[in-house]
Amino acid sequence: NATVTELTFFSNHIGAVGAQHIAEAFKVNVAVTQLGLTVNFIGAVGVQHIAEALKVNATVTELDLSRNDVGDVGAQHIAEALKVNAVVTKLDLTYNNIGAVGAQHIA
């Protein structure tokens, strides 16, 4: 679909497997600019899939990963993706158990 620009999966408990499927779709996405994945129990493994998609996606500018317990490891995955992704301008990692180590990666 080339007309949907915002996609939100709020509190659907998709987990890491669901995140993997979404990530695969976003590797070829050319329309969605806002992706909301709040409260989906994605964890570090699911965020790793999302991060891999961000490395090749040139469309998503806003990403909400709040309340997914991504932790320091997940923060590191996102940080690595942001090194090569030049389009994400808004990222929400609220309530993800990210400590000093994860914050250091993001910074």
Side-chain angles (χ1 to χ4, degrees):
N1 184 318
T3 57
V4 174
T5 60
E6 184 175 348
L7 187 59
T8 303
F9 290 89
F10 181 83
S11 193
N12 282 295
H13 306 268
I14 64 170
V17 173
Q20 181 178 9
H21 293 300
I22 289 169
E24 289 303 316
F26 274 84
K27 287 181 180 177
V28 296
N29 165 62
V30 294
V32 175
T33 59
Q34 299 175 11
L35 177 60
L37 296 173
T38 304
V39 193
N40 275 292
F41 301 93
I42 291 170
V45 173
V47 159
Q48 183 175 11
H49 296 299
I50 299 296
E52 289 302 315
L54 283 178
K55 290 179 181 178
V56 297
N57 179 286
T59 310
V60 174
T61 59
E62 296 184 20
L63 178 60
D64 186 348
L65 293 169
S66 58
R67 298 179 184 262
N68 277 295
D69 198 27
V70 304
D72 291 337
V73 173
Q76 182 177 2
H77 293 310
I78 292 296
E80 291 298 319
L82 292 176
K83 287 179 183 177
V84 296
N85 179 297
V87 296
V88 172
T89 57
K90 183 177 179 183
L91 174 63
D92 189 343
L93 293 172
T94 308
Y95 296 109
N96 269 300
N97 294 318
I98 297 172
V101 172
Q104 185 176 9
H105 288 296
I106 295 291

